[in-house]
């Protein structure tokens, strides 16, 4: 089971990296088209710098990274709640932030699959719940429809992130049985810290 868990963890990381890079390139392509120039460069830096910093932290400081990412996910949820009442940014900010958080969480998943899987579920749930609350609040003809929960930038990000979270949760669940037999904690690191 340990081998299957390692394969699932690594598969989740590779798929997350491909998904995040493709999604961010797609989104930033629009930024370079619409505002263009210096504003697009600032937007790209606002995405790439936190992504790189959190990913490096997750790779180098494996014990600290889950706590830092848990705080980042909490701040992300607070941002989403504030965004329900105040239009902070005229862009799909929640899906972009979800992509920025997904890659470092997947890196943490190499060491702590259950924690990473749970964090990734929360990251995917935030834009979904935000759009669902808008749907309920603006249930008239002008608001988003039920189909908007799964299409558009939110659905395109939420559904793959949930699938990737499922891979990490399954890897963590496979570790529970053998780890418990050896007297190790349930979410024991697979790699050296």
């Amino acid at each position: 089971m340990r081998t299957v868990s390692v394969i699932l963890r690594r598969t989740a990381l590779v798929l997350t990296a491909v998904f995040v890079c493709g999604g961010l390139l797609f989104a930033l392509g629009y930024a370079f088209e619409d505002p263009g120039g210096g504003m697009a460069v600032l937007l790209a830096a606002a995405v790439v710098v936190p992504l790189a910093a959190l990913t490096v932290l997750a790779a180098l400081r494996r014990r600290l990274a889950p706590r830092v990412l848990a705080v980042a996910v909490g701040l992300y949820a607070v941002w989403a709640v504030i965004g329900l009442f105040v239009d902070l940014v005229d862009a799909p900010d929640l899906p972009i932030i979800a992509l920025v958080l997904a890659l470092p969480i997947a890196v943490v998943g190499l060491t702590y699959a259950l924690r990473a899987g749970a964090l990734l579920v929360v990251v995917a749930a935030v834009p979904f719940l935000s759009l669902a609350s808008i749907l309920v609040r603006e249930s008239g003809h002008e608001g988003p429809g039920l189909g908007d929960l799964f299409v558009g930038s939110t659905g395109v990000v939420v559904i793959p992130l949930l699938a990737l979270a499922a891979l990490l949760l399954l890897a963590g669940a496979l570790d529970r049985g053998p780890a418990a037999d050896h007297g190790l904690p349930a979410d024991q690191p697979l790699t050296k810290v």
Side-chain angles (χ1 to χ4, degrees):
M1 291 294 191
R2 198 84 163 157
T3 304
V4 174
S5 175
V6 170
I7 290 169
L8 287 173
R9 291 167 190 252
R10 291 180 180 169
T11 301
L13 176 61
V14 169
L15 291 175
T16 303
V18 169
F19 177 65
V20 166
C21 290
L24 289 178
L25 285 173
F26 181 76
L28 291 175
Y30 278 113
F32 279 94
E33 262 183 33
D34 190 14
M39 183 58 103
V41 172
L42 287 175
L43 288 172
V47 169
V48 172
V49 170
L51 173 67
L54 289 173
T55 304
V56 168
L57 173 78
L60 299 179
R61 303 293 302 240
R62 294 190 179 183
R63 290 186 182 208
L64 176 65
R67 289 178 279 194
V68 171
L69 288 169
V71 169
V73 170
L75 292 172
Y76 171 54
V78 168
W79 177 268
V81 170
I82 293 171
L84 291 174
F85 303 105
V86 179
D87 192 17
L88 299 168
V89 179
D90 187 26
D93 56 339
L94 294 180
I96 297 297
I97 297 170
L99 290 174
V100 168
L101 292 173
L103 184 57
I105 289 172
V107 172
V108 166
L110 290 175
T111 309
Y112 303 104
L114 285 176
R115 294 178 195 174
L119 282 174
L120 211 49
V121 167
V122 174
V123 166
V126 167
F128 178 80
L129 293 174
S130 174
L131 191 58
S133 68
I134 292 170
L135 175 69
V136 169
R137 189 176 59 199
E138 299 175 4
S139 60
H141 298 289
E142 296 176 19
L146 184 60
D148 290 332
L149 290 174
F150 299 106
V151 297
S153 59
T154 300
V156 168
V157 169
V158 167
I159 294 169
L161 288 183
L162 287 176
L164 295 167
L167 287 176
L168 290 171
L169 291 171
L170 180 59
L174 290 174
D175 286 342
R176 283 185 160 283
D181 293 341
H182 295 23
L184 297 172
D187 207 11
Q188 180 69 23
L190 278 180
T191 57
K192 289 185 177 182
V193 179

